[in-house]
């Protein structure tokens, strides 16, 4: 894969080649972006009862629910250190070409046998509705579990950020991109499966089309996604995600040194019924 790289501690930086590949394909894949120790430490927070209490389910239109937990501010806990750390934030800034701020983060959970699908969409299909005038936005998809076809890994069409924003409509509790247009696009762009090991990360432009199927396997599929907006793309209307808020970056070492499992007051978790672009329903964890 032309846009695949491997993370090397103390030597990773966004090169001209990476930036060119991101501009062309709308994504770069970084293997071993998080160490095994970092993933294990992050999961002590994500798997805590306090964190799981904020999980919700979004109807996938087929009777299953895609589980998620959304927070607007990074906070000072373990996942907050991840969302603020240099290797995440600086990489996003170099790929987008300017200062970014934390737009929101989320845990995307697909429990075994029942985790619902995510429909074909662009992240900007949602965020356009929030008053973000430009698609200068990015998502960092970090695998907390092994992601493979069997457990509903991410599927995407690299390069589709060049297609511009596609019309979306609501289906179940999600937005879905125009299916006929996607069929035409797929005649030109081959489908890719993001089969990831724990700690691998996919940096993805907000207009890249992607989806995932239901998890019918006996293996859980969890991923942590951090989303950023460029500072000069401040939304023109107030909504359920933050306006520009300066982001205080931290050293990568803070991920492992942080011992706070959850910073409830500092994270601004998304409560039921607040998200105007998706219908959230409480689920049992």
């Amino acid at each position: 894969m032309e846009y695949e790289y491997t993370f090397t501690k103390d030597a990773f930086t966004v090169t001209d080649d990476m930036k060119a590949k991101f501009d062309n394909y709308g994504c770069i894949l970084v293997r071993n972006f998080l160490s095994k120790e970092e993933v294990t430490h992050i999961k002590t927070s994500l798997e805590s009862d306090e964190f799981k209490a904020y999980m919700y389910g979004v109807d996938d239109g087929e009777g299953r629910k895609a589980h998620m937990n959304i927070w607007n501010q990074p906070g000072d806990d373990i996942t907050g250190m991840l969302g603020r750390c240099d290797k995440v934030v600086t990489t996003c800034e170099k790929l987008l070409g300017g200062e970014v701020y934390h737009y929101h983060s989320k845990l995307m959970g697909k429990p075994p046998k029942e985790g619902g699908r995510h429909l074909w969409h662009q992240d900007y299909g949602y965020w356009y509705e929030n008053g973000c005038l430009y698609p200068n936005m990015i998502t960092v998809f970090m695998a907390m579990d092994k992601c493979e076809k069997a457990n509903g890994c991410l599927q995407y069409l690299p390069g589709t950020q060049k297609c511009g924003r596609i019309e979306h409509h609501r289906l179940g509790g999600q937005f879905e991109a125009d299916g006929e247009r996607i069929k035409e696009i797929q005649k030109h762009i081959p489908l890719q499966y993001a089969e990831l090991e724990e700690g691998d990360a996919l940096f993805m432009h907000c207009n890249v089309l992607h989806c995932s199927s239901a998890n019918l396997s006996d293996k859980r599929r969890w991923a942590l996604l951090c989303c950023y907006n460029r500072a000069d793309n401040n939304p023109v209307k107030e909504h359920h995600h933050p306006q520009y808020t300066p982001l205080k970056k931290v050293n990568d070492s803070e991920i492992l040194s942080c011992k706070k499992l959850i910073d409830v007051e500092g994270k601004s978790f998304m409560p039921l019924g607040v998200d105007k672009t998706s219908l959230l329903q409480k689920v049992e964890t």
Side-chain angles (χ1 to χ4, degrees):
M1 193 178 294
E2 291 187 36
Y3 48 88
E4 180 176 327
Y5 303 89
T6 300
F7 183 81
T8 304
K9 187 178 180 182
D10 301 326
F12 182 81
T13 186
V14 175
T15 63
D16 290 343
D17 178 71
M18 286 183 190
K19 181 65 167 67
K21 295 291 173 56
F22 180 79
D23 290 344
N24 187 40
Y25 294 104
C27 54
I28 61 168
L29 174 58
V30 185
R31 302 289 185 185
N32 305 319
F33 185 70
L34 299 175
S35 69
K36 293 186 183 299
E37 293 78 14
E38 287 172 331
V39 172
T40 298
H41 192 54
I42 293 165
K43 288 201 287 192
T44 62
S45 172
L46 298 178
E47 293 173 345
S48 67
D49 290 339
E50 295 91 341
F51 212 100
K52 290 193 294 183
Y54 290 92
M55 290 288 282
Y56 294 89
V58 179
D59 184 7
D60 72 352
E62 292 185 340
R64 296 185 179 88
K65 290 183 173 61
H67 295 181
M68 65 174 63
N69 176 351
I70 306 173
W71 55 98
N72 279 326
Q73 301 296 340
D76 291 324
D77 55 9
I78 296 170
T79 58
M81 296 303 106
L82 175 63
R84 293 165 51 195
C85 76
D86 181 69
K87 65 180 176 181
V88 171
V89 179
T90 301
T91 299
C92 290
E93 290 182 329
K94 290 183 176 180
L95 292 175
L96 285 182
E99 177 193 356
V100 301
Y101 73 96
H102 181 266
Y103 193 51
H104 62 275
S105 290
K106 49 197 168 190
L107 171 63
M108 307 294 280
K110 291 189 179 186
K113 303 291 186 183
E114 63 182 54
R117 63 177 179 155
H118 286 279
L119 307 174
W120 276 111
H121 70 282
Q122 300 163 307
D123 289 341
Y124 194 57
Y126 287 80
W127 301 341
Y128 171 89
E129 302 294 339
N130 297 339
C132 300
L133 296 184
Y134 299 96
N136 295 329
M137 309 174 81
I138 191 169
T139 295
V140 189
F141 182 106
M142 292 169 279
M144 296 292 105
D145 297 324
K146 183 180 178 67
C147 300
E148 51 193 350
K149 293 178 184 178
N151 67 357
C153 72
L154 189 76
Q155 304 173 35
Y156 63 103
L157 298 172
T160 45
Q161 82 283 358
K162 298 176 183 178
C163 297
R165 184 181 69 89
I166 295 170
E167 290 298 321
H168 288 62
H169 66 274
R170 188 178 293 281
L171 179 63
Q174 304 180 39
F175 280 161
E176 181 179 39
D178 182 345
E180 291 302 315
R181 198 169 189 87
I182 292 172
K183 287 179 183 178
E184 293 300 320
I185 290 172
Q186 286 186 289
K187 294 177 181 178
H188 302 273
I189 300 178
L191 176 67
Q192 297 291 328
Y193 291 86
E195 295 195 282
L196 310 176
E197 299 293 334
E198 292 183 3
D200 291 346
L202 183 69
F203 290 76
M204 188 166 62
H205 187 277
C206 65
N207 263 338
V208 170
L209 282 159
H210 58 286
C211 70
S212 63
S213 38
N215 180 10
L216 304 180
S217 76
D218 59 358
K219 297 178 181 178
R220 186 184 75 175
R221 198 225 76 174
W222 275 16
L224 198 160
L225 284 63
C226 292
C227 308
Y228 300 90
N229 187 16
R230 217 167 71 177
D232 58 3
N233 191 35
N234 195 33
V236 296
K237 63 181 180 183
E238 292 187 6
H239 58 287
H240 51 286
H241 293 314
Q243 307 292 111
Y244 169 67
T245 308
L247 182 59
K248 184 179 180 181
K249 286 193 273 190
V250 299
N251 293 329
D252 297 342
S253 60
E254 294 297 317
I255 299 172
L256 287 177
S257 63
C258 182
K259 305 304 179 186
K260 183 181 289 189
L261 289 180
I262 183 170
D263 177 15
V264 175
E265 293 183 359
K267 298 190 85 66
S268 184
F269 282 100
M270 184 77 71
L272 177 63
V274 170
D275 192 345
K276 306 302 182 187
T277 51
S278 63
L279 298 176
L280 301 179
Q281 297 176 339
K282 192 75 167 66
V283 297
E284 296 300 324
T285 57

